[in-house]
Amino acid sequence: MAYTINIRQTVALPLKETFERLSDHNQLGPLLGLPCKRVRDGEDAINGLGSVRTLGVWPIEFDETVTGFEPNSRIDYRITRGSPLRNHRGTVAFAASGEGATQVSWDIEYEIALPVLGMLIKKILARGIGRGLDKIGR
């Protein structure tokens, strides 16, 4: 079964700072409430295209690989190891919004065979990302 999550939230930080915080794999963990570390540097930037981050702790951890990277504009990623989710893809888009604020659009698509688990994961991800975006604006 396919699921989508669409989060639209304004962050009370300038575009460049918001992008820097959300693109830095090693800073992402505290924002999302789970361990996160960069395990492979990107081709064009340390956290850029081709970089890999590991989220979670053993035995429940997974890797996300950055598949698209446009500084101060967009980050695309997909889960490449360790998740029961199939075809998981995420996009985080950034746009200046008002005086010193940033509009963040975070879209996720994934598939999972168990509907109950799919809905639970959707709620957990949406809540965790929303709280993380609240944190960086403080």
Side-chain angles (χ1 to χ4, degrees):
M1 182 166 233
Y3 295 89
T4 60
I5 300 169
N6 305 104
I7 298 166
R8 306 290 180 264
Q9 198 160 324
T10 301
V11 174
L13 290 173
L15 174 63
K16 185 177 180 186
E17 188 174 350
T18 302
F19 184 85
E20 287 173 359
R21 289 189 184 193
L22 290 176
S23 65
D24 185 337
H25 301 326
N26 294 329
Q27 289 187 38
L28 196 57
L31 296 175
L32 298 179
L34 72 157
C36 180
K37 64 181 176 184
R38 185 180 51 258
V39 295
R40 186 172 77 206
D41 293 349
E43 301 164 12
D44 55 348
I46 197 165
N47 295 298
L49 185 65
S51 64
V52 178
R53 59 185 172 230
T54 296
L55 293 100
V57 292
W58 187 90
I60 302 171
E61 66 179 15
F62 57 95
D63 288 351
E64 292 181 341
T65 300
V66 175
T67 58
F69 187 82
E70 298 173 34
N72 301 318
S73 178
R74 179 184 179 113
I75 303 166
D76 298 311
Y77 64 93
R78 63 185 178 89
I79 291 180
T80 51
R81 180 192 67 86
S83 174
L85 305 178
R86 290 173 293 162
N87 301 317
H88 180 283
R89 293 180 309 277
T91 297
V92 186
F94 303 82
S97 174
E99 293 184 28
T102 304
Q103 178 68 35
V104 177
S105 300
W106 198 316
D107 300 311
I108 300 171
E109 298 176 356
Y110 63 92
E111 297 173 8
I112 191 163
L114 302 170
V116 172
L117 187 55
M119 289 304 296
L120 178 62
I121 289 170
K122 181 174 181 167
K123 287 181 181 183
I124 290 170
L125 285 174
R127 183 177 296 135
I129 292 168
R131 286 182 181 164
L133 293 174
D134 284 342
K135 284 181 190 177
I136 67 169
R138 292 185 204 147

